[in-house]
Amino acid sequence: MDDLQVVGVHGIRQRDTNKVKLADDWSQALSRSMVMHIGASAAAPGMTTPYYGDVFPRGRLQLGDDEEAAELEGGGHEEEFLLQALEAHTPPDAARQPPAGTLGKVPRMSPRITAALAAIDRRFGPRAGQAVLSRLSEVQGYFSDKHKDKADEVRDRVLQSIKQTGATLIIAHSLGSVVVYDMFRRGQIPASVNQLITCGSPLAWLPMHRKLRLEKPSTLQLPTHVAWLNVLDPYDPITAGLGLAALAPDVTDEVVDNQDDPHSAELYLEQRPVALTVHACFSRQLPAS
């Protein structure tokens, strides 16, 4: 069972950790998951987590009393992308305006974005809009021509980890799922990979499809030999509460409950559907007796 290698791809915003801690946290979470759901003797696979939290600058669009107000770097195009993605979570309601003080010190942007952030807070809880906005600003940076060299560096680190380990399984969390899907679209994922698990993914957002330049904006598709499990907590604001099965005919959605931390990578890794899929990958790699 030691032959199964997994590459874990984290979200862009990972500056409160480092490559050693990240690898340890993910490996331990997956080990706990295997023991809880498969059995005490279950072995966990080798886990490699290429770290790229040092590649992108801190997201510009932050909210809260301790943050500086920020201008939108890309002007109207960036603001429209943010607005469309934010409003994918909750339809705009012209009759409701954000209460004074709800959002703290807001970056200088349109009232429509401010209202969309308040709507996300009402649906998913306090500061959920802040979390979504911060990650959106970073994925905007990933797709920006200005940061093309940084995006190339991210993809190169992921690719090198896959090649060095011979991994057949990728687990991608949050915006890491966007990076991995982008690599599949570019033909950069080796054919040895036959299983993808996405957790807390924002790939259901239609504005993201335009960034990915999909030929069919409403359809997500992997190579036919790659099985795809998507795990989501419906209270995770980064998913907008949406699965992927309606957009990707061959994906399997599994709804889980991460309790009080819906977007936690470690809690996603500890969920039963993840453990069962990893165990099935183990079983496929075992030599015939």
Side-chain angles (χ1 to χ4, degrees), residues 135-273:
R135 286 160 177 82
L136 278 173
S137 72
E138 291 176 320
V139 79
Q140 171 73 15
Y142 172 79
F143 286 113
S144 169
D145 289 340
K146 178 179 179 180
H147 299 303
K148 182 180 180 300
D149 59 329
K150 293 179 170 56
D152 289 342
E153 174 68 17
V154 169
R155 291 190 293 269
D156 184 63
R157 292 188 188 187
V158 173
L159 177 59
Q160 291 308 310
S161 292
I162 297 171
K163 287 182 174 180
Q164 289 168 7
T165 61
T168 58
L169 167 61
I170 297 175
I171 302 178
H173 175 247
S174 189
L175 295 176
S177 66
V178 177
V179 173
V180 171
Y181 189 86
D182 188 31
M183 292 180 68
F184 271 115
R185 185 186 64 81
R186 294 168 179 266
Q188 294 177 333
I189 299 293
S192 59
V193 174
N194 55 36
Q195 177 73 58
L196 172 65
I197 301 175
T198 50
C199 305
S201 173
L203 279 168
W205 301 349
L206 290 179
M208 201 74 72
H209 299 181
R210 287 189 283 275
K211 290 292 183 183
L212 288 164
R213 297 182 175 88
L214 301 184
E215 293 182 9
K216 297 180 179 179
S218 62
T219 303
L220 300 170
Q221 192 169 18
L222 293 184
T224 55
H225 72 282
V226 181
W228 188 354
L229 170 69
N230 180 59
V231 185
L232 73 147
D233 184 317
Y235 295 97
D236 180 350
I238 305 305
T239 69
L242 300 172
L244 301 179
L247 300 172
D250 297 323
V251 75
T252 300
D253 281 333
E254 289 284 356
V255 177
V256 299
D257 182 2
N258 287 338
Q259 300 295 321
D260 59 350
D261 194 358
H263 192 58
S264 165
E266 288 81 7
L267 292 179
Y268 271 121
L269 288 170
E270 291 180 6
Q271 295 293 341
R272 179 177 174 83

Side-chain angles (χ1 to χ4, degrees), residues 28-42:
Q28 289 192 32
L30 191 55
S31 295
R32 289 193 298 270
S33 186
M34 300 297 289
V35 170
M36 282 191 295
H37 302 298
I38 305 302
S41 62

Side-chain angles (χ1 to χ4, degrees), residues 49-97:
T49 52
Y51 181 71
Y52 58 86
D54 56 325
V55 174
F56 282 94
R58 182 175 176 81
R60 303 180 310 284
L61 301 178
Q62 307 290 325
L63 300 176
D65 295 336
D66 59 341
E67 300 290 353
E68 294 291 330
E71 294 284 4
L72 287 171
E73 185 178 88
H77 292 297
E78 180 176 2
E79 184 165 333
E80 186 61 25
F81 165 74
L82 294 172
L83 180 61
Q84 290 174 354
L86 292 170
E87 289 185 348
H89 288 68
T90 53
D93 184 351
R96 301 196 67 169
Q97 297 298 324

